[in-house]
């Protein structure tokens, strides 16, 4: 991943103490259990990651001592909860290197972040005959909201092809970026292939034509240092649960000038300045986009997850994971009949593969008997499966707490899978 760091960010990170995986593992209670009588090897991190004590403690503390509804209260508990919630916004601001808390909107996760942009920015700016540009490697959550918008507006969804390695075709991208393109939306890191997209170049090219860019950062946030100022993107969205925080919470970053011009998403409490039956005026940013009582404890937990990642340092995490991914790639290649799906030049954390003659679901089920958790299926990226001519893959996805020994357990588990199927 280090070679792609220049793509990702230029912001300097303070030097941290050396990365110590055993110390990290000690923070995650869920990792220390047996599954089917064997120590758990958790390799389903791209679907959702485990939570460190620091996140669990922060949520427990809020619910045990500091909990009430936020923003509206004058009493002590409401003030404490509001402070904890708004502190998390500042943490998210620093994590993404946004310019102001007005640019940080708490949402349910990446899916809601993308839907919010499609339903607000998109509905105002995309009209009949216009185009929305995505890539062939998107998660369904970065396809379907745009399809819905295009259907409503009679606009067209255009798709940048990917090559056999799983890299997006930049020549095709330049050609597809046309006068009718109203927004580009793409993953920073592909969940099905692990490809790290050249998002900075994409933003530069799109901006040359005045086209805004949304980056789906769901798979980047746990692995790469994100710097929206350096990237220059208009929107960037992340999910708490993939970055060791709770589920049901995430962040949508939007450039203030762009957000200011967008209509509200949902109506309700907190997003208004005043309401009469005749007319409602809307609250200022970011509250205008946060209708109703939010996931207060989730936001606080996400803040703790951001502290956790920041304390270890994303650069240290990236370096460790890059080495682990290289090791995993090499080891998997030694398994007879195994084909890795997704061999992009820059990759993060994902090892998708198929085994000759064995359905991925069987791989997953047999590995589970060995205490090894991987995901099997289309990974909410059916077009990627179609592109590579497979119905599904098995996917081992790494996080900062995985080890070489766990990769070895995976490889030995795959040998067991082959034996069960009578393959030598
Ligand atoms: C690349 C990518 N985008 C979007 C999502 C959707 O994230 P969430 O389900 O947290 O909204 C995922 C989840 O797997 C993902 O991997």
């Amino acid at each position: 991943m280090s070679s792609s760091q220049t793509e990702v960010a230029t912001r300097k990170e303070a030097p941290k103490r050396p990365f110590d995986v055993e110390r990290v593992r000690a923070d995650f209670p869920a990792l220390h259990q047996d599954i089917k009588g064997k120590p758990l090897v958790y390799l389903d991190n791209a679907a959702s990651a485990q939570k460190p004590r620091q996140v669990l403690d922060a949520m427990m503390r809020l619910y045990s001592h500091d909990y009430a509804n936020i923003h509206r209260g004058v009493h002590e508990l409401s003030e404490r909860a509001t402070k904890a919630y708004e502190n998390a916004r500042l943490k998210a601001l620093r994590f993404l290197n946004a310019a102001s808390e007005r640019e940080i909107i708490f949402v349910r996760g990446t899916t809601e972040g993308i839907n919010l942009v499609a339903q607000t920015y998109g509905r105002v700016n995309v009209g009949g005959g216009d185009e929305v540009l995505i890539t062939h490697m998107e998660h369904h959550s970065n396809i379907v909201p745009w399809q819905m918008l295009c259907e409503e507006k009679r606009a067209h969804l255009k798709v940048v092809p990917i090559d056999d390695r799983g890299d997006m075709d930049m020549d095709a991208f330049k050609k597809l970026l046309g006068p009718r393109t109203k927004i580009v939306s793409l993953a920073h890191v592909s969940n099905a292939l692990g490809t790290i997209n050249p998002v900075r170049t994409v933003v530069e090219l799109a901006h040359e034509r005045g086209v805004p860019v949304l980056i789906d950062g769901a798979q980047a946030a746990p692995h790469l240092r994100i710097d929206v100022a350096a990237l220059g993107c208009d929107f960037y969205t992340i999910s708490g649960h993939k970055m060791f925080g709770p589920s049901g919470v995430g962040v949508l970053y939007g450039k203030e000038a762009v957000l200011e011009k967008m209509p509200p998403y949902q109506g309700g409490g907190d997003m208004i300045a005043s309401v009469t039956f005749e007319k409602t005026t809307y609250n200022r940013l970011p509250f205008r986009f946060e209708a109703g009582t939010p996931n207060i404890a989730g936001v606080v937990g996400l803040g703790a997850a951001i502290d956790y990642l920041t304390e270890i340092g994303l650069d240290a995490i990236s370096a460790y994971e890059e080495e682990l991914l290289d090791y995993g790639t090499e080891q998997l290649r030694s398994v007879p009949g195994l084909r890795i799906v997704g061999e992009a030049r820059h990759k993060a954390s994902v090892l998708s593969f198929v085994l000759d003659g064995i359905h991925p679901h069987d791989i997953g089920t047999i590995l589970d008997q060995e205490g090894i958790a991987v995901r099997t299926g289309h990974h909410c990226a059916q077009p990627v499966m179609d592109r590579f001519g497979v119905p599904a893959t098995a996917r081992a996805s790494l996080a900062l707490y995985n080890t070489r020994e766990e990769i070895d357990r995976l490889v030995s588990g795959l040998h067991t899978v082959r034996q069960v199927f009578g393959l030598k």
Side-chain angles (χ1 to χ4, degrees), residues 299-341:
V299 165
V300 170
L302 174 57
I306 288 173
D307 283 344
Y308 186 79
L309 285 169
T310 311
E311 173 65 26
I312 296 170
L314 262 305
D315 288 350
I317 293 169
S318 292
Y320 175 75
E321 290 182 359
E322 182 184 17
E323 195 268 332
L324 196 61
L325 183 66
D326 286 349
Y327 180 73
T329 306
E330 194 185 298
Q331 295 305 307
L332 282 191
R333 283 197 181 121
S334 72
V335 178
L338 186 145
R339 175 162 70 99
I340 293 179
V341 178

Side-chain angles (χ1 to χ4, degrees), residues 45-48 108-114 137-142 186-192 216-220 237-242 247-250 379-380 395:
N45 296 289
S48 207
R108 272 197 304 124
T110 302
T111 302
E112 188 173 45
I114 297 169
M137 72 180 92
E138 301 310 317
H139 187 279
H140 295 164
S141 65
N142 198 24
L186 83 167
H188 195 162
V189 175
S190 151
N191 67 310
D216 164 355
Q219 296 295 342
T237 180
I238 58 179
S239 294
H241 68 103
K242 297 196 196 273
S247 52
V249 67
H379 317 295
C380 295
R395 181 186 67 185

